[in-house]
Amino acid sequence: MQYNLVATAPMGLESIVAKEVQELGYETKVENGRIYYSGDKRAIVRSNLWLRCADRVKIVVAKFPAYTFEELFEKTKSIDWDKYLPEDANFPVDGRSHKSKLFSVSDCQSIVKKAIVEKMKKSYGVSGWLKETGARYRLEIIMLNDEATILLDTSGDGLHKRGYRAKQGTAPLKETMAAAMVKLTNWQGETPFYDLFCGSGTLLIEAAMIAQNMAPGINRKFDFEKWHWMPKNLIEEERNKAEELIDYDKELELYGSDIDPKMIATAENNAEEIGLLGMINFKQMSVYDFVAKKETGCIIANPPYGERIGEKEEVEKMYRFLGEALKGKEYWSLYLLTSHKKFEHLYGKKATKRRKLFNGSIECTYYQYWGKRI
């Protein structure tokens, strides 16, 4: 059976996620925050295991116009829900509505839920309540321009939850965004990698996983793994394939530093959780102690943005220092994410390329300074 699938992505990362889906062998259609493609059950497993920069992978169960609640109810009820949901399915229904006559999200949710219940009771010959004591099948009703889309979330927890980050900083960078920052540099482990503001170590861990070809979902579970129609042997087969593709012997130089010793301890714990502690060199150090000693190197960083009161002057001083530290280092690359509008002026050089990204709700620019290749 072929499913209509959609990988959701943060704004600005659609092209990266689309490329990841294409590399898995599927043709894509891209819309704002969504990458549509079709695939079988194996595609669901592989997408969840391998997509580094997507938020979730969902099945598009149905799409239809709905101008009245009655129309929404009847069209939802006409879907063959027994193809997706067992009799004991736990199926919460989330919802969103935009530019539609059916603007009440709570009403849309309850109507969709009621329609599914009615259909399932008929399909399974149940006269009383549905128990909902089984596996979770998270559904979503989206109303957009009077068109209803019903989605089934295959991932469960967001794909940024890799399973290694037990502890994090006060302003953590999502694993999916960290992976995107690394992928945008085309770094594959050939040069030393530095994060001078490493925090909980997310950028370094994601970089190591990319360089070693470690599937981002290899150490976590997904909702689809408990579904009655998903073959257990297929899941095991794809997990074994992913394990075999990891290049544990790849030699990497990874250096992480942070002024806060507590964050270094957190980063080390996170790296240890995924088996990368010995590969990443963590050190408690001020950015001002950094010296670009090697002939070539790559700095990828998500430093403080200076948005808090009293931080702006210190952050601007730090940006100037980076410009001085890398002046004349033509074989060094810098990739830095910040919301500070005057970064290039403070750094002292125009970026080779800029890209607008959103770190959570904060609009940022990813400044890319590409060094020469030796």
Side-chain angles (χ1 to χ4, degrees):
M1 179 175 172
Q2 290 288 304
Y3 299 92
N4 293 318
L5 303 174
V6 57
T8 58
M11 195 180 301
L13 299 187
E14 293 94 340
S15 62
I16 300 173
V17 175
K19 187 177 180 183
E20 288 187 316
V21 174
Q22 290 159 13
E23 287 171 351
L24 290 175
Y26 309 105
E27 293 183 8
T28 60
K29 178 187 173 185
V30 180
E31 293 181 6
N32 286 343
R34 288 176 172 76
I35 296 82
Y36 292 96
Y37 58 110
S38 64
D40 56 10
K41 292 172 185 176
R42 191 178 298 276
I44 293 171
V45 180
R46 296 182 71 213
S47 298
N48 279 285
L49 276 176
W50 284 101
L51 295 183
R52 297 185 191 278
C53 305
D55 286 333
R56 295 174 183 277
V57 177
K58 302 177 181 182
I59 296 170
V60 182
V61 176
K63 221 173 195 180
F64 51 81
Y67 299 95
T68 67
F69 288 125
E70 183 181 1
E71 191 174 11
L72 178 62
F73 179 88
E74 292 300 333
K75 288 182 176 178
T76 300
K77 188 179 176 183
S78 70
I79 298 166
D80 293 328
W81 284 105
D82 56 332
K83 289 183 179 179
Y84 300 97
L85 310 179
E87 184 181 334
D88 66 346
N90 171 18
F91 59 104
V93 180
D94 295 323
R96 280 181 287 150
S97 181
H98 186 63
K99 294 182 179 178
S100 297
K101 289 183 174 65
L102 305 183
F103 59 85
S104 171
V105 174
S106 59
D107 285 340
C108 289
Q109 288 172 265
S110 62
I111 285 165
V112 166
K113 179 84 175 185
K114 185 178 179 182
I116 297 171
V117 167
E118 289 298 311
K119 183 58 177 278
M120 287 179 65
K121 285 169 76 170
K122 184 177 180 181
S123 298
Y124 292 112
V126 177
S127 56
W129 293 96
L130 293 174
K131 294 179 181 178
E132 292 200 48
T133 54
R136 180 174 64 176
Y137 296 72
R138 290 178 58 175
L139 294 164
E140 184 177 20
I141 169 66
I142 297 176
M143 293 299 309
L144 178 62
N145 296 322
D146 296 314
E147 183 177 63
T149 302
I150 300 179
L151 301 161
L152 172 58
D153 183 354
T154 71
S155 303
D157 290 336
L159 294 181
H160 70 282
K161 293 191 176 181
R162 316 286 207 217
Y164 64 77
R165 194 157 78 174
K167 297 179 181 178
Q168 58 191 34
T170 53
L173 183 71
K174 268 191 175 182
E175 293 87 335
T176 42
M177 177 59 75
M181 287 172 65
V182 176
K183 295 197 85 167
L184 283 167
T185 71
N186 295 320
W187 181 87
Q188 290 290 332
E190 65 284 352
T191 57
F193 176 109
Y194 296 79
D195 182 358
L196 308 179
F197 315 88
C198 72
S200 55
T202 308
L203 267 167
L204 290 150
I205 293 170
E206 291 296 323
M209 291 173 72
I210 288 170
Q212 286 192 335
N213 198 35
M214 184 185 293
I218 195 76
N219 290 307
R220 58 158 286 177
K221 296 294 184 182
F222 305 96
D223 272 10
F224 70 79
E225 294 185 77
K226 294 183 178 179
W227 294 356
H228 69 296
W229 50 263
M230 184 63 77
K232 298 291 184 286
N233 62 328
L234 189 154
I235 298 168
E236 186 178 358
E237 184 183 322
E238 287 301 321
R239 283 193 174 276
N240 288 340
K241 281 183 187 176
E243 187 69 43
E244 290 169 7
L245 288 170
I246 302 173
D247 185 2
Y248 288 110
D249 297 325
K250 186 159 187 175
E251 293 186 9
L252 302 170
E253 283 189 68
L254 297 158
Y255 303 94
S257 58
D258 199 286
I259 197 168
D260 186 350
K262 290 181 181 178
M263 291 315 304
I264 294 297
T266 296
E268 288 176 340
N269 286 337
N270 291 339
E272 184 175 23
E273 190 67 31
I274 200 166
L276 294 170
L277 182 57
M279 182 171 292
I280 305 172
N281 299 283
F282 290 108
K283 183 180 180 181
Q284 189 270 320
M285 185 182 83
S286 165
V287 64
Y288 299 111
D289 292 326
F290 170 74
V291 180
K293 293 179 182 178
K294 295 181 182 286
E295 186 178 3
T296 183
C298 175
I299 298 174
I300 306 180
N302 174 47
Y305 302 160
E307 295 200 341
R308 295 177 186 169
I309 296 171
E311 276 188 356
K312 191 174 181 182
E313 285 186 11
E314 178 58 36
V315 164
E316 291 181 349
K317 175 187 171 187
M318 176 259 293
Y319 290 160
R320 291 190 187 97
F321 168 78
L322 285 174
E324 289 297 320
L326 294 178
K327 188 176 285 185
K329 302 289 183 180
E330 59 182 353
Y331 297 108
W332 278 72
S333 299
L334 172 73
Y335 305 91
L336 187 139
L337 185 70
T338 180
S339 64
H340 200 299
K341 301 298 183 185
K342 295 184 178 179
F343 172 76
E344 287 173 307
H345 172 73
L346 295 163
Y347 183 73
K349 188 179 178 182
K350 289 284 185 184
T352 312
K353 191 173 182 180
R354 303 169 203 82
R355 190 183 187 110
K356 185 165 78 171
L357 297 174
F358 283 83
N359 186 4
S361 61
I362 303 172
E363 183 179 328
C364 299
T365 301
Y366 193 38
Y367 295 96
Q368 302 171 54
Y369 295 85
W370 299 341
K372 293 181 181 178
R373 291 186 177 273
I374 293 177

